[in-house]
Amino acid sequence: PPPPPPPPAPAPSQRQLAKLSEELSRTGRVKKKEKEKKKKFGKREKAEYATIEADVAELEAAAAKAEAELQEVIASRKRLPQMQQLALVNAAAAARRAADDKMDRYLELEEMLELAEERGA
């Protein structure tokens, strides 16, 4: 017969649970403080903000094109070699990720601009 299974690990004690929850709340507070830290909206950010909308539009178009190519291959029932299929999927994912990252940066710059305007007003 097979050996008996190992005994289950003991459940964490109340003290361990309290320590873990305190540690989690402490790290959450640290992250909030880092987020709340004043961010400067300087020349570099202004220059980036001036061109970021065009960049986002360009990346969105590239992502849509890559996704359309992928869908076209899927719908055509034409079997591509696996490496080509993988390359198409990776290209579509990378294009979408780049567009999403640039959009996140755009939103971050928007928030920084709003905060700078509030401080200036």
Side-chain angles (χ1 to χ4, degrees):
S13 68
Q14 292 293 325
R15 181 177 288 167
Q16 289 172 327
L17 289 175
K19 187 183 269 187
L20 284 173
S21 66
E22 180 183 326
E23 189 175 307
L24 286 174
S25 67
R26 191 176 330 121
T27 58
R29 278 186 255 143
V30 169
K31 287 181 181 179
K32 280 184 183 178
K33 286 180 183 177
E34 287 175 5
K35 274 188 172 181
E36 292 172 1
K37 187 170 66 170
K38 292 182 182 179
K39 295 181 181 178
K40 186 177 176 185
F41 197 75
K43 289 180 184 179
R44 193 175 110 215
E45 285 79 13
K46 287 179 185 176
E48 183 180 3
Y49 185 74
T51 61
I52 198 162
E53 287 183 13
D55 294 343
V56 169
E58 185 179 310
L59 288 170
E60 286 288 340
K65 181 181 177 189
E67 289 167 358
E69 289 175 1
L70 180 62
Q71 291 302 319
E72 184 180 310
V73 167
I74 291 171
S76 72
R77 303 240 187 255
K78 184 174 80 172
R79 281 292 279 173
L80 287 178
Q82 189 171 8
M83 292 306 289
Q84 285 181 343
Q85 286 180 0
L86 186 60
L88 282 174
V89 170
N90 285 338
R96 172 56 47 207
R97 191 171 29 259
D100 289 345
D101 289 346
K102 188 61 88 164
M103 182 54 101
D104 289 343
R105 178 64 178 158
Y106 173 73
L107 294 174
E108 183 181 334
L109 287 173
E110 281 278 316
E111 288 177 13
M112 288 171 65
L113 179 63
E114 288 175 10
L115 287 174
E117 289 174 351
E118 287 175 9
R119 279 187 250 138

